[in-house]
Amino acid sequence: ACKNFVLLPAAGLLQLQDVRKTCCDFLESQLHPTNCLGIRSFADMHACTELLNQANTYAEQHFSEVVFGEEFLNLGIDQVCSLIASDMLTISSEEKVFEAVIGWVRHDKEARQEHMARLMEHVRLPLLTREYLVQRVEEETLVKNSNACKDYLIEAMKYHLLPADQRASMKTTRTRQRTPISIPKVMVVVGGQAPKAIRSVECFDFSEERWYQVAELPSRRCRAGVVCMGGLVYGVGGFNGSLRVRTADSYDPIKDQWVTIANMQDRRSTLGAAVLNGLLYAVGGFDGSTGLSSVEVYNVKTNEWFHVAPMNTRRSSVGVGVVGGVLYAVGGYDGASRQCLSSVEAYNTNKNEWTYIAEMSTRRSGAGVGVLNGLLYAVGGHDGPLVRKSVEMYDASLNSWKQVADMNMCRRNAAVCTVNGLLYVVGGDDGSCNLASVEYYNPVLDKWLLLPQCMSTGRSYAGNLLIFFLSN
């Protein structure tokens, strides 16, 4: 890539169009969340229009990963405003844009806090939930210190007070939904038990409505933690059929290739895994002899794991999810008292502290946990021999759980993710056999529907299900 950065200007000066095109094509093939802004700037400098457009589109489509990189944090104010003003950002929620702005300002707070009002002009606060506006935006010091920012917050609050049929009359850029170009969405199921630990990785293409196999894991892995971060899939810990492991692998969907990364410090199976502030959290689990309360975190930049504060309770078969910048550990099994748990804990990154929140209405070990529209869902699981089809939902603004519609099938140890406003639950087992079926929850209808296409393999204890975007 470095050679191409040298060759491209030289080719331009010498009018070697074929060499110039080859360099641009190569740089386009190397686009990644960690380098796309640099390539975009380089293309702009050398008037490579097609490469500039491709890099810009890539940055918009991978915005959620790009904002954690050094390139974004080192952008100038004009470039940040240009990016966050785009209608084409592919984001799960406007929260991503607000958090990106706060992260950029805090990177050099003294010099950048004066730009808050200009930045907030491009954050579409009315599209955020009332709970997030009150609990996160209003409490943010950088917002409190700016009268203009407070005006944008008031505008958002007014929008939420209007009846739905009157909101259309409040027309500003900030009340307009972003309209990203549709790109293929792929659901990935990593490893699992079928009935022993397997290496298989299976994907569902939503546009083509079909399942297909991709590169297998380097080794058998079930009961692992699986997340998507920076455009890569990570599988950490788990059980290989004979041992609980500390190993971790990452998968590049562009190259269809797995590589090994640094080992965790502790052996963990049936752990929970989640991404928070650009870091991978491995929560609880079972080391082969006891349930774990410990939590460790992976920094991709240093390829290192480090411990943070442990939970108050040992939790194996724990489910985790992130809502509003808070990490939740849901249920699980406490080996000490040999009980399935209804308790839930929340982790505050600023205080490095876990605190108990409202308990679920029922004990759940091996529940699938997912986040949909800013709400946390605990799906299925079991209490002793009883496998559940019930589902409950946590609203952080009320600190309370509420029952929603039951699934069609009893499931424990299933994988969960959110796609296009629906909550998908994949596989798991019903207490006697592994399941290949998939069902999804529609919150508007409060109803679960079965996906017509089943996986080729019934599997439980697959890695947390996830969705990511493949670049064109």
Side-chain angles (χ1 to χ4, degrees), residues 269-271 284-286 291-292 314-318 331-335 365-366:
S269 69
T270 66
L271 66 152
F286 181 68
L292 302 172
R314 297 177 185 270
R315 297 178 191 270
S316 59
S317 294
V318 61
Y333 180 75
D334 174 5
S365 177

Side-chain angles (χ1 to χ4, degrees), residues 231-245:
L232 302 177
V233 179
Y234 291 81
V236 301
F239 182 63
N240 65 11
S242 56
L243 294 170
R244 279 80 190 175
V245 298

Side-chain angles (χ1 to χ4, degrees), residues 13 58 83 99 109 148 174 214 220 229 258 279 293 309 341 343 380 392 407 426 430 432 443:
L13 286 171
Y58 187 96
L83 183 60
E99 297 296 346
K109 185 177 175 181
R174 288 174 293 282
V214 293
R220 298 176 184 275
M229 181 172 66
W258 289 89
L279 299 170
S293 60
L341 301 167
S343 64
E392 50 191 307
M407 291 183 289
V426 177
D430 61 9
S432 58

Side-chain angles (χ1 to χ4, degrees), residues 49-65:
T49 308
E50 188 173 340
L51 178 60
L52 173 63
N53 291 337
Q54 290 291 338
N56 194 59
T57 298
Y58 187 96
E60 291 171 339
Q61 292 182 349
H62 296 80
F63 180 81
S64 296
E65 291 86 34

